[in-house]
Amino acid sequence: MEERYSKAETLALRRKHIGPSCKVFFAKDPLKIVRAQGQYMFDDKGEKYLDCINNVAHVGHSHPHVIKAATKQMELLNTNSRFLHDNLVQYAQRLTATLPEKLSVCYFVNSGSEANDLALRLARQYHGHQDVITLENAYHGHVTSLIDISPYKFNQLGKDSKKEFVHVAPSPDIYRGKYREDHPDPASAYAEEVKKIIEEAQKNGRKIAAFIAESMQSCGGQVIPPVGYFQKVAEYVHAAGGLFIADEVQVGFGRVGKHFWAFQLQGEDFVPDIVTMGKPIGNGHPMSCVVTTREIAESFGASGMEYFNTFGGNPVSCAIGLAVLEVIEKEDLQGNATRVGNYLLELLAEQKEKHPLVGDIRGVGLFVGVDLVKDQQKRTPATAEALHLIYKLKEHHILLSADGPHRNILKFKPPMCFTMEDAKHVVETIDALLTEMEEATGMKTENNVSTNAQCKRKTTEGSSQPEGANESIGHMNGAACRQENGLYSKKPSLSSKRIRT
C-alpha cells in the first residue's frame, strides 16, 4: 500500500498540527509504522521490527478473530448503552467471571484514564472522604484528577505541585526502595509507612477515600510489590474508611501468566474494592472498565446523579472485548506468558552474570524489567546507557523502552504471542550490545564474572533459583554477591524525554 505522504512530510505535518507535548518514540529518528501483525510492526520502507513494548496489542497486532468480531458487529449496529443489547451483558458476565465473586458490577468507559477517574469518584462517594494515598513514581492517567495523584507526572511541575489531599507512600521496591531484599519483612515495613501516613492525615483532620496502586508498577520501574503488602495496606485503609483501588490498566488480562489479574499474585486472601482495566482489554480498540462491588455501586447510585457514557459499553466495543477473552483462552496466552516469561528471565539472569551494567532482573510472566546500573554495589542508575541501548536495539529492528524514575529500566511488555525464539533473539542482541558498550568504555567484566560465578556456586548448594522462579516471578539482584565496578564515563548524547508506554 502506497503511503499518502513521505516520512518527512508526515513529520512536518505532525509538527504543524499536533500539540508539541505529544512526543514520539525515538525523537532523533522516529519510526513511521504503517502496519503490524502479531508481535511485529512494519515501517514505511517495509522493514520489520520486533515489538517488545506494545501491551496494547495484547493478543497480537491485527488479530483476525478480533478484526472479524469488530467488523461483523459494526455492520449490524453500534449505539450507546441506553438501549438493551446482549453484547453488553454477555461481556460483563464473562469479564466478572475472571474476578473474585464480590467484584460483580461493571462500568464501561473508553480509556485507562477514564477508568481511574471514575474509580476515584466511586471511592469518594462511598464515605464522603476526599484524600488519596498513592505511591512514589506512580502514574494513573492524563486527566486532571489523575495528574494530581501521579507523582510520575506532578513531580515534573515542581516541589509545590502536590495537592494537600494527596499523600505519597514509598514505592514497595525491594531493589531501590527504603526497605530492600535483605529486610526480614519488607511487605509489613512498606505497609507500616502507609499506616503512618493515615495516622498523620487523621491528626490533621483529613479523611482517606482511597489507596490506589498499580498491581505492579510499570512507569515506576517494573516494581513487583512483596507478597502480603496489599493485604496489610487494605487493612489499614479500610480501618480509615477508605477503599483499595487496584489499577490493572497495564498488567491485567493474563500478562503475569499464572493469574489473570496481577493483584492475585498477592494471594487468594486479597481482593481489592475496585479494579480498573484498559489498554489490553480491546487489543488496541479504545475501551476500558471499572469493576467493583454491589455495595460500592449502590452507594455511587445513591448520590442521585446518573452516570452515563456515550461510547462506553457500545456493542462493537463489547464484541471486541469478548473476542479478546476468547483468544486469550483458545491460544493459551496465559500459559505462553508463563513459559516464555520464565525463559526470558532465565536468559536475562545469564546476562547479569556476564555484564556489570545489569543490576537487577525482575519480572512475572511477560512483564519484565532490567535495571541497568553504573555500579552494582551502589546501584547507581545507568540512565544514559539505557537510552543508548534502546536506540541501538532500534537499529537492530527491536523496539524496547526504558522507564522508571531514573529512566534506566528496560521494560519488556510485548504482545502475549511473544515466543521463545523472540526472547532468545532479543537477549542475544542485548548481550552483544552490552559487550560492545563495556569494551568501548573500558568497563571491566572479569571480576564481575568471577564474583557472580562464586555466587551461583553458593546458591546451587541450596537453591539455584530465586524464590518463586518456578511461577515466572524473579528478582535477581545478587544481594550477597555485589562488587564495585568501573563507571561508564562516556555519555551518549541522546534525548532523555520521558514517554509513557
Side-chain angles (χ1 to χ4, degrees):
M1 178 178 175
E2 188 175 343
E3 293 303 299
R4 182 175 288 110
Y5 305 116
S6 68
K7 178 178 172 179
E9 289 170 330
T10 301
L11 187 57
L13 286 168
R14 182 182 176 108
R15 287 170 177 162
K16 181 178 180 181
H17 296 296
I18 306 302
S21 297
C22 303
K23 304 298 183 181
V24 295
F25 286 128
F26 310 109
K28 283 182 173 281
D29 183 25
L31 288 170
K32 183 178 181 182
I33 298 295
V34 298
R35 67 183 181 91
Q37 185 72 46
Q39 64 272 49
Y40 298 104
M41 304 182 82
F42 299 84
D43 70 7
D44 53 323
K45 298 177 182 177
E47 297 290 334
K48 182 171 75 172
Y49 292 81
L50 178 61
D51 183 1
C52 300
I53 60 176
N54 220 310
N55 57 344
V56 178
H58 191 63
V59 300
H61 292 280
S62 307
H63 196 287
H65 185 64
V66 178
I67 292 170
K68 183 178 179 181
T71 304
K72 183 179 179 181
Q73 183 57 51
M74 182 65 82
E75 288 175 344
L76 290 174
L77 169 73
N78 199 27
T79 186
N80 66 54
S81 57
R82 291 195 181 209
F83 295 98
L84 290 177
H85 198 279
D86 288 348
N87 284 7
L88 176 64
V89 294
Q90 184 184 6
Y91 184 54
Q93 185 179 43
R94 288 283 300 276
L95 186 62
T96 55
T98 67
L99 289 157
E101 186 175 1
K102 79 171 191 175
L103 294 168
S104 60
V105 181
C106 300
Y107 295 88
F108 290 105
V109 288
N110 306 294
S111 71
S113 291
E114 224 181 318
N116 282 330
D117 178 76
L118 179 56
L120 287 184
R121 287 181 59 189
L122 290 168
R124 284 171 168 157
Q125 171 65 27
Y126 188 60
H127 278 148
H129 298 177
Q130 176 73 8
D131 288 27
V132 177
I133 302 173
T134 187
L135 293 177
E136 288 174 332
N137 311 313
Y139 175 79
H140 294 289
H142 61 77
V143 299
T144 300
S145 66
L146 302 177
I147 295 295
D148 286 346
I149 64 165
S150 297
Y152 181 86
K153 286 294 186 181
F154 71 64
N155 282 340
Q156 298 176 42
L157 303 176
K159 62 179 181 179
D160 298 323
S161 58
K162 185 176 78 66
K163 303 292 175 64
E164 62 179 354
F165 59 82
V166 176
H167 311 276
V168 181
S171 171
D173 181 350
I174 64 171
Y175 181 69
R176 291 194 173 279
K178 185 174 182 178
Y179 307 106
R180 299 188 173 184
E181 70 280 352
D182 55 354
H183 191 281
D185 187 2
S188 295
Y190 278 116
E192 283 295 315
E193 294 289 330
V194 176
K195 184 181 180 182
K196 291 175 188 175
I197 286 172
I198 293 172
E199 291 171 347
E200 186 64 26
Q202 291 174 332
K203 284 180 185 177
N204 295 323
R206 308 202 66 89
K207 296 180 179 180
I208 304 300
F211 172 92
I212 184 170
E214 290 181 277
S215 299
M216 300 186 297
Q217 280 190 283
S218 181
C219 292
Q222 307 295 86
V223 175
I224 305 168
V227 173
Y229 171 67
F230 282 176
Q231 288 93 328
K232 291 179 173 64
V233 168
E235 178 185 339
Y236 300 144
V237 171
H238 289 157
L243 299 179
F244 193 112
I245 302 170
D247 180 342
E248 293 268 340
V249 170
Q250 295 211 50
V251 296
F253 290 89
R255 178 162 294 279
V256 300
K258 183 181 180 183
H259 302 287
F260 203 79
W261 303 104
F263 72 77
Q264 293 171 318
L265 291 166
Q266 292 282 310
E268 293 183 3
D269 60 333
F270 172 70
V271 180
D273 301 297
I274 302 172
V275 176
T276 61
M277 51 195 77
K279 288 189 184 296
I281 191 172
N283 210 56
H285 179 79
M287 64 182 297
S288 60
C289 186
V290 179
V291 184
T292 190
T293 67
R294 173 61 55 187
E295 180 186 10
I296 294 169
E298 289 178 353
S299 171
F300 187 57
S303 69
M305 182 187 294
E306 178 187 359
Y307 180 77
F308 171 62
N309 191 299
T310 302
F311 298 107
N314 69 74
V316 172
S317 292
C318 290
I320 290 170
L322 281 164
V324 170
L325 292 180
E326 289 165 359
V327 173
I328 292 171
E329 182 178 355
K330 289 179 180 178
E331 298 185 6
D332 187 27
L333 294 183
Q334 277 186 258
N336 188 66
T338 296
R339 292 185 294 272
V340 178
N342 276 333
Y343 183 57
L344 178 59
L345 284 169
E346 182 183 314
L347 294 176
L348 289 169
E350 293 173 2
Q351 300 313 305
K352 186 185 181 309
E353 300 222 349
K354 294 174 65 175
H355 299 289
L357 275 168
V358 180
D360 186 33
I361 307 295
R362 49 185 176 265
V364 189
L366 286 174
F367 181 87
V368 174
V370 180
D371 195 315
L372 297 185
V373 297
K374 297 177 183 179
D375 182 298
Q376 288 193 347
Q377 187 174 23
K378 296 178 181 178
R379 304 186 180 185
T380 312
T383 300
E385 293 81 354
L387 292 171
H388 178 73
L389 184 60
I390 293 303
Y391 271 80
K392 294 300 289 185
L393 285 167
K394 172 180 171 276
E395 292 177 10
H396 288 77
H397 290 195
I398 294 170
L399 304 180
L400 195 63
S401 64
D403 214 333
H406 307 288
R407 299 187 301 285
N408 68 308
I409 314 295
L410 305 182
K411 295 173 62 173
F412 287 85
K413 43 189 182 59
M416 294 276 279
C417 52
F418 205 68
T419 68
M420 300 275 199
E421 291 75 17
D422 296 329
K424 187 172 186 289
H425 172 57
V426 174
V427 177
E428 285 179 347
T429 307
I430 289 174
D431 181 17
L433 291 173
L434 288 177
T435 300
E436 182 181 290
M437 291 166 64
E438 289 161 354
E439 289 177 351
T441 57
M443 180 176 275
K444 303 298 183 184
T445 62
E446 291 84 356
N447 292 335
N448 183 70
V449 172
S450 174
T451 303
N452 279 304
Q454 291 175 3
C455 179
K456 186 176 182 181
R457 284 195 294 274
K458 288 178 183 177
T459 57
T460 302
E461 293 171 7
S463 172
S464 60
Q465 299 260 4
E467 184 177 354
N470 61 338
E471 294 183 2
S472 187
I473 180 168
H475 215 303
M476 307 166 193
N477 51 50
C481 300
R482 303 187 195 101
Q483 79 164 64
E484 195 127 351
N485 295 291
L487 295 178
Y488 189 100
S489 57
K490 185 179 179 181
K491 311 262 188 205
S493 57
L494 297 174
S495 168
S496 60
K497 294 291 184 183
R498 182 178 295 187
I499 303 176
R500 182 183 190 249
T501 57

